[in-house]
Amino acid sequence: MGSAEVEQTKAHSRVDCTKPPARTWQRKFEDEGKKIAMFSMTMKDIMTIMPLIVKMLRLHVKATAKGQASVYDPFKKWMDNCYRGVPLGGLGSASIGRSYRGYFQHFQIFPRIYEQKPVLANQFSAFVSRPGGKRYATVLSAPNADVLKGIDKDGIGSWDWNLKNKNCTYHGLFPRSWTIYEGEPDPEIKITCRQISPFIPHNYKESSFPVVVFTFTVENSASTPADVTLLFTWANSVGGISELTGNHTNSRMK
């Protein structure tokens, strides 16, 4: 290893994963964001883009006739979603979106196929126990009521969806993001989740790896020790209902 590589390694070892940069895109979990506004078009606007509309309709009909997914489906209803954060994945290697409220959504794994709905089984969770029997637990995300509506009360609905939105802050600066849980689930615990995808200048090969790294830092401000457990769950899927199809199997990793 040359001197340049040594200095670079030293610089990386000094990175404080708990402190986002001074300038980031920030949102509180309780922030409802700005709903996507409807827009209107004049007759002149419609006539201007009419050739494009006709071309897209032709491509859609041709692809449908061949049993293929069209590049763009003009009849598909898209989700009104203003909760998106920094996506996961490298350049040109597809992506999985992540909400600034902590859950995973907008799966774009295969070309021309978008799965926008979140998969609620895909979560980080935290469990904290202290001497004397004190215990705290929560899923580290905060889906809104519409997302949680109709879920199985004996399954995912029985999980600890106890996160207090006002205590959680999201910071985004592509290709990284930081999610800070201040006093969650234990009032004297701070959890910082740092997310980073490969984006390396002048290195397209490794910047296109379909990977993401999450690092967690836990800080205990109390005078008593705490036993903190982090849990990651992921449905065997690539979005949508794909965990129910395709004969997927699980195996133990050693």
Side-chain angles (χ1 to χ4, degrees):
M1 181 181 291
S3 58
E5 288 81 0
V6 171
E7 291 301 321
Q8 189 176 23
T9 302
K10 289 181 179 179
H12 289 168
S13 66
R14 292 194 294 268
V15 173
D16 187 348
C17 295
T18 66
K19 292 184 179 180
R23 295 185 179 182
T24 59
W25 184 80
Q26 301 180 29
R27 283 292 185 274
K28 283 284 190 182
F29 275 31
E30 62 185 352
D31 188 346
E32 289 296 331
K34 293 183 178 180
K35 297 295 183 181
I36 300 174
M38 297 297 293
F39 67 94
S40 59
M41 300 179 66
T42 64
M43 182 57 66
K44 182 179 179 180
D45 294 331
I46 295 175
M47 295 305 295
T48 301
I49 67 171
M50 184 58 70
L52 176 62
I53 295 175
V54 173
K55 183 177 181 179
M56 296 301 294
L57 286 173
R58 285 177 178 172
L59 291 173
H60 176 69
V61 171
K62 185 182 294 186
T64 302
K66 293 180 179 180
Q68 301 173 348
S70 60
V71 175
Y72 178 77
D73 186 353
F75 303 106
K76 182 176 181 179
K77 183 179 180 181
W78 297 88
M79 289 180 63
D80 179 8
N81 193 321
C82 57
Y83 304 122
R84 293 175 185 167
V86 177
L88 288 61
L91 296 175
S93 61
S95 66
I96 296 175
R98 192 165 183 235
S99 163
Y100 67 74
R101 290 185 166 190
Y103 53 85
F104 299 89
Q105 60 175 14
H106 197 76
F107 294 74
Q108 187 182 347
I109 306 299
F110 305 110
R112 302 181 295 185
I113 299 177
Y114 299 84
E115 295 285 0
Q116 298 185 80
K117 293 183 179 180
V119 178
L120 290 178
N122 301 346
Q123 302 290 347
F124 289 108
S125 301
F127 306 85
V128 182
S129 60
R130 292 187 182 274
K134 290 185 178 180
R135 290 182 174 83
Y136 308 87
T138 186
V139 178
L140 295 176
S141 74
N144 58 29
D146 291 338
V147 174
L148 293 173
K149 187 183 299 182
I151 62 174
D152 184 5
K153 299 297 182 182
D154 296 324
I156 294 177
S158 66
W159 293 9
D160 294 307
W161 303 95
N162 302 321
L163 199 67
K164 297 180 179 63
N165 294 350
K166 64 180 181 180
N167 296 338
C168 307
T169 309
Y170 179 90
H171 299 257
L173 183 64
F174 185 84
R176 300 166 294 168
S177 73
W178 296 257
T179 309
I180 301 175
Y181 305 90
E182 191 77 54
E184 292 293 328
D186 183 315
E188 296 177 292
I189 286 288
K190 176 183 177 182
I191 300 175
T192 302
C193 169
R194 181 175 182 260
Q195 164 195 319
I196 183 168
S197 296
F199 193 81
I200 307 166
H202 312 296
N203 188 337
Y204 176 77
K205 181 179 179 181
E206 294 183 5
S207 293
S208 63
F209 285 176
V211 299
V212 64
V213 175
F214 292 95
T215 60
F216 281 82
T217 304
V218 179
E219 300 173 74
N220 180 17
S221 61
S223 57
T224 57
D227 185 5
V228 180
T229 302
L230 294 171
L231 172 68
F232 178 56
T233 55
W234 191 267
N236 209 351
S237 74
V238 290
I241 61 171
S242 61
E243 73 272 16
L244 306 177
T245 61
N247 298 319
H248 298 179
T249 60
N250 297 317
S251 61
R252 178 178 296 180
M253 295 179 63
K254 295 183 180 180

